[in-house]
């Protein structure tokens, strides 16, 4: 996993935000919970967000007190995907709690519900939950872009259209990027945002996940 010097993004998960992830699933996506992204501000209030693959092979987007949106389709193994998950805090009290998901540029149909605590004790983790790590992804994370705003459907499509080799810093909402990491298969994951919240690899393999406390 990869550790950064500190977490300077504590205010992000409790407000409007979006996460864009390019990832490839592994050969097994139904034996265990697998986390793509988890960020918790360390409190017990509405300040955490998590994206995961459930043990049913379905993509989930969840916020602190158990609210989650689960896509209706099962992911495929050994497949490259792009996902964008967005949160609109103004719709938090309704269903599906202001949560939206886009897979390969297409808005997903999903069910909304409660349960499952996603608190991660103040860590920002990519490819796993918490510093330990817990529930690591059995696959590869290629790129993560973290925005402090809710992206629209058109903006999610724009990210997908950039492609895996594209640069999120050219996106129309690049001014709202608070963290941007690319897996360069090296000992350091550079944060290309203005926050410079770099990560240093601890353990192996570097292509699996990053953990940013």
């Amino acid at each position: 996993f990869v550790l950064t010097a500190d977490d300077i993004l504590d205010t992000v998960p409790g407000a409007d935000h979006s996460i864009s992830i390019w990832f490839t699933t592994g050969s097994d996506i139904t034996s265990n919970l697998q986390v793509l992204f988890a960020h918790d501000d360390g409190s017990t209030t509405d300040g955490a967000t998590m994206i995961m693959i459930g043990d049913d092979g379905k993509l989930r987007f969840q916020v602190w007190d158990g609210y989650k949106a689960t896509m209706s389709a099962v992911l495929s193994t050994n497949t490259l995907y792009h996902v964008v998950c967005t949160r609109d805090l103004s719709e938090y009290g309704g269903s599906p709690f202001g949560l939206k998901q886009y897979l390969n540029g297409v808005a997903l149909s999903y069910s909304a519900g409660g349960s499952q605590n996603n608190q991660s004790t103040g860590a920002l983790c990519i490819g796993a939950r918490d510093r330990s790590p817990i529930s690591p992804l059995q696959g590869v994370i290629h790129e993560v872009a973290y925005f402090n705003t809710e992206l629209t459907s058109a903006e999610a499509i724009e990210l997908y259209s950039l492609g895996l080799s594209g640069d999120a810093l050219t996106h129309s909402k690049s001014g709202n990027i608070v963290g941007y990491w690319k897996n360069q298969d090296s000992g350091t994951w550079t944060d290309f945002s203005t926050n410079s919240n770099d990560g240093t690899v601890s353990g192996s393999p570097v292509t699996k996940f990053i953990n940013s406390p």
Side-chain angles (χ1 to χ4, degrees):
F1 56 97
V2 175
L3 304 177
T4 62
D6 57 10
D7 180 10
I8 58 177
L9 304 175
D10 279 351
T11 62
V12 178
D16 291 358
H17 63 271
S18 303
I19 305 107
S20 166
I21 305 175
W22 283 95
F23 69 100
T24 298
T25 54
S27 58
D28 183 0
I29 58 172
T30 56
S31 294
N32 300 287
L33 180 71
Q34 299 181 37
V35 174
L36 300 174
F37 182 95
H39 185 200
D40 175 29
D41 66 4
S43 73
T44 56
T45 58
D46 179 33
T49 187
M50 185 160 67
I51 303 168
M52 71 203 91
I53 303 170
D55 56 11
D56 55 3
K58 296 181 179 181
L59 194 66
R60 301 178 188 169
F61 178 35
Q62 184 171 325
V63 293
W64 161 236
D65 39 7
Y67 293 142
K68 68 176 182 288
T70 302
M71 66 177 283
S72 56
V74 177
L75 297 176
S76 298
T77 58
N78 302 309
T79 301
L80 174 67
Y81 288 105
H82 176 252
V83 63
V84 175
C85 295
T86 71
R87 181 189 189 188
D88 179 359
L89 192 62
S90 68
E91 298 180 2
Y92 188 52
S95 180
F97 319 114
L99 308 180
K100 296 184 179 70
Q101 297 172 302
Y102 304 89
L103 191 68
N104 295 342
V106 178
L108 299 177
S109 59
Y110 47 80
S111 60
S115 78
Q116 190 165 317
N117 184 332
N118 71 333
Q119 191 176 19
S120 56
T121 61
L124 188 159
C125 317
I126 300 173
R129 171 186 168 192
D130 213 343
R131 302 173 178 87
S132 301
I134 301 170
S135 303
L137 174 69
Q138 303 303 308
V140 179
I141 299 287
H142 302 286
E143 177 185 291
V144 177
Y146 198 11
F147 297 78
N148 64 359
T149 188
E150 179 199 15
L151 299 179
T152 65
S153 174
E155 290 161 350
I157 293 172
E158 181 186 352
L159 275 170
Y160 176 62
S161 298
L162 286 173
L164 180 57
S165 60
D167 184 356
L169 296 179
T170 66
H171 188 267
S172 59
K173 287 291 187 180
S174 60
N176 293 96
I177 292 178
V178 294
Y180 182 36
W181 302 271
K182 282 178 172 286
N183 186 344
Q184 299 176 310
D185 202 16
S186 68
T188 299
W189 279 47
T190 301
D191 178 8
F192 294 98
S193 79
T194 57
N195 285 319
S196 301
N197 197 17
D198 296 346
T200 302
V201 174
S202 175
S204 63
V206 297
T207 55
K208 291 296 184 184
F209 53 88
I210 72 172
N211 175 10
S212 167

